[in-house]
């Protein structure tokens, strides 16, 4: 019968986990999804005017049809997004896609940030992550460069002159 696994002339009763069903003489997940993001890493300037997109594709690896809702969330403040589709119905081995548009404002932390795309219904909630790299604006780059230059000047003022450096003899008397 379909609730047994058979190999040759030997059959054994199947006992599936609570989130599995028996299909074609095997236990399979009744509700399961795989996520693909194209591209998987995106970069955006943190100025609230630049936008970047990635396509989220959800594959139903479960055994039944699913009516699913999409949501998008960010681990850090200052990141925002929207999507072309907020739900879909997908059959076994079928896929749904939504184009995600992402932007960051000036308060977003620079560097790699995690974004989460979630599908859910009454049976399951599943999520996939992708990376959003927040880049500095030209103004922020200038501020960072100025800060680095100021710190270098402060450091150099604290370091005693080294033999062979310009004005060593003159400056070394100040440190001795």
């Amino acid at each position: 019968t379909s609730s047994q696994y058979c190999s040759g002339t030997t059959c054994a009763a199947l006992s599936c986990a609570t989130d599995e069903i028996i299909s074609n003489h095997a236990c399979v997940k009744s509700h399961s999804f795989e996520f693909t993001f194209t591209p998987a890493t995106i970069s955006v300037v943190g100025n609230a005017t630049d936008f970047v997109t990635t396509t989220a594709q959800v594959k139903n690896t479960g055994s039944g049809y699913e009516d699913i809702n999409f949501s998008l969330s960010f681990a850090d403040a200052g990141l925002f997004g929207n999507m072309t589709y907020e739900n879909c119905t997908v059959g076994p081995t079928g896929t749904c896609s939504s184009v995600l548009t992402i932007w960051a404002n000036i308060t977003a932390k620079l560097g790699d940030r995690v974004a989460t795309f979630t599908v859910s219904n009454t049976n399951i909630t599943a999520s996939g992550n992708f990376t959003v790299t927040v880049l500095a604006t030209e103004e922020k780059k200038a501020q960072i460069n100025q800060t680095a230059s100021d710190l270098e000047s402060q450091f150099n003022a604290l370091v005693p002159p080294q033999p062979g450096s310009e004005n060593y003899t003159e400056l070394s008397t100040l440190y001795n």
Side-chain angles (χ1 to χ4, degrees):
T1 68
S2 65
S3 63
Q4 295 180 332
Y5 170 76
C6 299
S7 178
T9 59
T10 305
C11 293
L14 289 174
S15 177
C16 299
T18 57
D19 65 338
E20 296 177 323
I21 62 170
I22 297 170
S23 176
N24 199 23
H25 304 282
C27 294
V28 295
K29 293 276 186 189
S30 54
H31 309 284
S32 179
F33 298 97
E34 290 178 0
F35 297 86
T36 305
F37 299 96
T38 307
T41 299
I42 54 178
S43 298
V44 63
V45 176
N47 61 9
T49 58
D50 286 356
F51 299 87
V52 65
T53 62
T54 185
T55 300
Q57 185 177 55
V58 181
K59 181 178 182 182
N60 181 355
T61 56
S63 60
Y65 281 82
E66 300 283 353
D67 291 318
I68 53 177
N69 299 307
F70 302 150
S71 63
L72 183 60
S73 60
F74 303 96
D76 295 287
L79 289 168
F80 304 92
N82 60 35
M83 57 194 112
T84 54
Y85 298 103
E86 294 183 1
N87 54 54
C88 79
T89 300
V90 61
T93 71
T95 61
C96 290
S97 295
S98 186
V99 175
L100 312 178
T101 302
I102 310 298
W103 64 97
N105 69 19
I106 196 72
T107 65
K109 292 180 184 177
L110 301 181
D112 290 346
R113 302 286 164 237
V114 175
T116 303
F117 184 73
T118 302
V119 299
S120 63
N121 64 20
T122 56
N123 299 313
I124 189 171
T125 298
S127 298
N129 295 329
F130 61 98
T131 301
V132 178
T133 302
V134 180
L135 305 173
T137 62
E138 291 303 316
E139 179 181 292
K140 187 70 170 175
K141 287 178 190 177
Q143 289 174 346
I144 291 168
N145 288 336
Q146 184 61 52
T147 300
S149 178
D150 292 348
L151 289 172
E152 182 180 24
S153 295
Q154 291 172 16
F155 174 77
N156 289 336
L158 296 173
V159 175
Q162 301 298 312
S165 67
E166 187 177 327
N167 300 325
Y168 170 70
T169 308
E170 216 175 288
L171 294 172
S172 64
T173 58
L174 298 173
Y175 284 94
N176 294 326

